[in-house]
Amino acid sequence: MSEEEHKNHHHSLFHHHNHKDEEDKPIDYEKEVKDHKHKEHLGELGAVAAGAFALHEKHKAKKDPEHAHKHKIEEEIAAAAAVASGGFAFHEHHEKKDAKKEEKEHDGKHHLF
């Protein structure tokens, strides 16, 4: 593999990427916006579900004093998961906004060839 090919070659943990191939692909901005919107909604759903589970465990800690410590730990883990899911949703929201901005900028440019 030449040095130039090596620069365009990238390995991630699970995927094999060749950046030169990615440069040649036309970008489907509408699909990208839709994908980020879908991921944003999944993050929101995860945040709500984890938050509800945290409240459930908090309630169980009060009702079951014998196992209160276990319930408090599960509550804290669920609360952390809720925050992480919210952060993911926030990240995807901004990715969606960036994709919409790129789409708008791309629509303004007309390519003849």
Side-chain angles (χ1 to χ4, degrees):
M1 182 180 298
S2 74
E3 189 175 325
E4 185 63 33
E5 289 173 327
H6 187 67
K7 286 180 184 177
N8 289 327
H9 209 71
H10 174 72
H11 293 276
S12 67
L13 187 58
F14 298 107
H15 300 286
H16 177 85
H17 293 284
N18 189 337
H19 293 291
K20 191 171 186 172
D21 292 342
E22 291 176 6
E23 292 172 2
D24 297 337
K25 291 182 185 176
I27 299 171
D28 185 352
Y29 292 104
E30 189 176 318
K31 183 179 178 187
E32 193 172 327
V33 169
K34 186 177 179 181
D35 184 49
H36 289 300
K37 184 177 182 179
H38 177 71
K39 289 179 182 177
E40 178 185 358
H41 285 224
L42 287 176
E44 291 169 348
L45 181 62
V48 170
F53 187 73
L55 288 174
H56 170 74
E57 287 298 322
K58 184 175 186 173
H59 176 73
K60 283 185 103 175
K62 289 180 182 177
K63 293 289 183 182
D64 185 10
E66 187 177 334
H67 300 105
H69 183 69
K70 173 186 172 261
H71 293 299
K72 282 301 245 176
I73 291 170
E74 290 180 358
E75 175 192 350
E76 290 297 321
I77 292 169
V83 170
S85 292
F88 178 73
F90 186 73
H91 166 76
E92 287 299 325
H93 175 73
H94 285 280
E95 289 291 316
K96 179 182 72 176
K97 284 175 60 175
D98 290 345
K100 281 183 178 181
K101 184 179 176 183
E102 288 178 24
E103 179 181 26
K104 189 175 182 180
E105 289 172 358
H106 185 264
D107 285 345
K109 298 176 184 174
H110 298 285
H111 301 282
L112 297 175
F113 299 99

